Structure formats: C-alpha cells, structure tokens
Amino acid sequence: MRGAKVAATLTTITTLPTPPYKRSKIKGNNVMAKKIDVSTINGKGYAMCSGRFYGKQASFMTWTLQDVAYVARYHWIPCVFGAGLLFFMYVEYTLRMVPDSSPPFDLGFVVTRSLHRVLASSPEINTLLAALNTVFVGMQTAYILWAFLIEGRPRATISALFMFTCRGILGYTTQLPLPQEFLGSGVDFPVGNVSFFLFFSGHVAGSVIASLDMRRMQRWELARLFDILNVLQAVRLLGTRGHYTIDLAVGVGAGILFDFLAGKYEESSKTKSALVACGGLKGVLS
C-alpha cells in the first residue's frame, strides 16, 4: 500500500498572517491565516508558499510601509539601538586611536575632573570617602552572608562566588594599567591600599547582587538605598581614578548576569539527589 502512495504528501498548516509583526485578528472562530503546503521529498520536509519554496523569498520583500511604521511605534527601543549602531560605526571608523605612549582615554575621568582636583588637594576628604566606601562594601558583604547564614537563602552568596571567581580570571588575563592620576588611601577596600584588579568592579557588582536580592524579598527601600550608594560609589571610584568607566559598567552587567546564573543553579540543584549527602546544608541548598 505504501508503494502505491504518491511520494509527495501535502499537509496544510496554519501560520500567523502578514504583516509579520502583527498578531492575528481573531473574530469568533475565524482566524485570518495563510496556508502553506509542506511537501515530503526524499524524506525531508520543505515548506512551499504560492508554489515556491518558502525559503527562497527574502523576508524583507514582504515588508510594507505599514510594517515599518508599526515597528517604529511599538518596537522603538530596538530602533534606537539600531540608530546607535550606525552612529558608533561612524565614530569608530573616524576616531583617532590613542597612541601607545599616552594614557587611556576615559570619558568618566573627563566628567569627574573637578572632583579629582578636590580629592587631590584635600587628602582628608579622600580618606573620609574611602572609609565610607569601605563601610558600604562591608554592608554588602554582611547582607549577602546574612541572607545565607541566617535566612537560609544562598542565591546571593552563590552569585557573589561566581562573580568574584570570574572577575579574578578576567582581571588576571588582561591586566589594565593603573591610571596615572590614581588617588589611593590606606582605608580604602582592599584595606591597606594594596594591589587589585581593575576589570571589572567588584564594588559595583557586589552592590547589584545585594540590591537584586533585596528586591526579591520586597525590601524596596533598602534596595533603593543600596542603588543610591552604588551610584555615589561609582562617582567616587571615577573621581579617585580607582576604576575605569568600563569597569563600572561591566560590574553592573556582571551583578545581573551572575544573579541570574545563581538562580538557574538553585533550580537545577533541587533535582539532584546528591545534595542529600550534604547533611545540614541539604535543607538550605535544596
């Protein structure tokens, strides 16, 4: 019976209507749809549209001015980033590169030039701000450990472990030069004005991790306080030339990324029976 059948079998499937960015209009049981045939040729499925293979016609050939207007109105964020892509392509290809004999150019250093002059001329203020920043780092650490040891929620701690390990790998792999105008302090973190990795900022990333955990627990006011202190911390780090702007920006992204990965790890760990052997930690990590 199978040998008598036709080799190509047509099956009708329903797809979303054009234009491609709009949802189907459903009225009762009637759905505006476009029929596409799927043929089986040599055991492989190929979609056919209007007698032609579906993959042959470029997607943009079906676009209309109405589609473009729809995207510009309801998807303006990607449009803004598209304009940013074109702008920075122009900037990149027309910008003179910094010669190897000059210090790196950092826009954040330019913006905080006045603050740097104040801190350079007033070591007492610099030391005070450094001490306050170290207290803030202690607050981050205390909250993350409290969430794990007291409340039994390890996600923030796992996130911090992921983050600082990755930071160590990246910081050692590419060791950026210390800015020439760096203003150190003996009470800054790491305490004692010792060496440290520039890329990326653990100060900023740790604060983001703590703030995200606070939001999960609906501690909104505390989270906003940490966000404000994190911004002030970033300004101070630029003013003292303790970090490049890129260190701070990536620090924000790293905090978000590793918090997400820690959440995924928590989800996967719940299904692993190996955690039963962890004794007292089983109830915390599962």
Side-chain angles (χ1 to χ4, degrees), residues 3-266:
K5 289 184 178 181
V6 181
T9 303
L10 299 180
T11 305
T12 302
I13 63 175
T14 304
T15 62
L16 294 176
T18 54
Y21 299 103
K22 294 183 178 180
R23 295 182 179 178
S24 302
K25 295 182 179 179
I26 301 177
K27 298 181 179 179
N29 294 325
N30 296 325
V31 180
M32 297 176 59
K34 182 179 180 181
K35 292 184 178 180
I36 297 178
D37 293 332
V38 176
S39 298
T40 302
I41 303 176
N42 294 331
K44 298 181 179 180
Y46 296 89
M48 298 184 67
C49 180
S50 302
R52 293 177 297 173
F53 285 109
Y54 182 71
K56 291 290 185 178
Q57 186 176 11
S59 175
F60 75 91
M61 296 295 292
T62 63
W63 296 355
T64 65
L65 291 178
Q66 185 180 8
D67 296 332
V68 175
Y70 180 87
V71 171
R73 180 178 180 182
Y74 295 102
H75 300 280
W76 58 270
I77 294 179
C79 292
V80 170
F81 279 99
L85 167 66
L86 297 177
F87 172 75
F88 283 106
M89 284 179 62
Y90 168 78
V91 172
E92 182 177 3
Y93 293 137
T94 58
L95 190 67
R96 288 187 178 182
M97 298 189 71
V98 178
D100 56 5
S101 58
S102 301
F105 172 79
D106 193 302
L107 184 60
F109 289 3
V110 176
V111 174
T112 58
R113 189 174 293 162
S114 299
L115 175 60
H116 178 79
R117 285 197 294 264
V118 171
L119 297 178
S121 61
S122 303
E124 300 82 6
I125 298 179
N126 183 39
T127 299
L128 176 61
L129 294 181
L132 292 175
N133 205 158
T134 299
V135 171
F136 180 49
V137 173
M139 291 167 58
Q140 301 171 26
T141 306
Y143 178 85
I144 291 173
L145 292 178
W146 176 278
F148 177 42
L149 299 176
I150 306 301
E151 298 181 352
R153 298 183 299 102
R155 177 168 173 173
T157 301
I158 295 172
S159 177
L161 294 175
F162 288 176
M163 182 271 291
F164 279 109
T165 300
C166 181
R167 176 179 178 270
I169 295 172
L170 294 178
Y172 183 80
T173 302
T174 301
Q175 300 176 37
L176 300 175
L178 189 67
Q180 295 179 359
E181 299 177 326
F182 172 66
L183 300 175
S185 172
V187 297
D188 204 353
F189 185 84
V191 178
N193 199 22
V194 296
S195 60
F196 56 92
F197 292 130
L198 285 164
F199 188 85
F200 48 87
S201 174
H203 289 70
V204 171
S207 180
V208 170
I209 290 172
S211 176
L212 291 173
D213 187 82
M214 293 168 187
R215 282 174 164 76
R216 275 192 298 274
M217 301 304 296
Q218 298 184 0
R219 296 165 178 165
W220 307 114
E221 293 183 0
L222 191 57
R224 283 191 288 269
L225 173 63
F226 262 59
D227 290 340
I228 293 172
L229 293 176
N230 200 11
V231 171
L232 295 176
Q233 171 181 245
V235 173
R236 176 202 162 254
L237 289 171
L238 287 175
T240 60
R241 309 304 189 243
H243 272 294
Y244 295 104
T245 303
I246 192 173
D247 305 331
L248 308 178
V250 175
V252 174
I256 297 172
L257 171 64
F258 289 110
D259 177 78
F260 172 79
L261 294 178
K264 290 296 182 182
Y265 175 81
E266 273 194 328

